[in-house]
Amino acid sequence: MLLQELTEQLREGELGRQHWYHERLYRRLVDVVVVLGEVYPGGLERLQRNASRRPR
């Protein structure tokens, strides 16, 4: 839910125009993906395979 809201803010809101926040936001998103890979059984490769089989 929070990531969906962030996506909408980037596309349509003020955050998309506030480029000075984008690098910091990018770093935090990378951190989230790394941790997700650490905690997901099988890591990011397995998560990616599983996610690509399911409709969005």
Side-chain angles (χ1 to χ4, degrees), residues 1-13 15-16:
M1 200 162 67
L2 292 173
L3 292 175
Q4 180 64 35
E5 184 177 324
L6 176 59
T7 299
E8 290 171 15
Q9 288 179 20
L10 283 166
R11 282 196 178 130
E12 301 167 11
L15 187 56

Side-chain angles (χ1 to χ4, degrees), residues 20-35:
W20 50 90
Y21 289 120
H22 294 174
E23 184 178 341
R24 188 177 346 162
L25 178 58
Y26 176 81
R27 287 184 195 163
R28 296 301 169 248
L29 289 170
V30 169
D31 290 345
V32 168
V33 171
V34 168
V35 172

Side-chain angles (χ1 to χ4, degrees), residues 33 36-37 40-56:
V33 171
L36 184 59
Y40 190 79
L44 286 178
E45 283 185 25
R46 186 169 178 207
L47 180 60
Q48 184 177 11
R49 278 195 313 270
N50 291 346
S52 66
R53 289 187 223 148
R54 295 185 181 132
R56 286 186 169 195

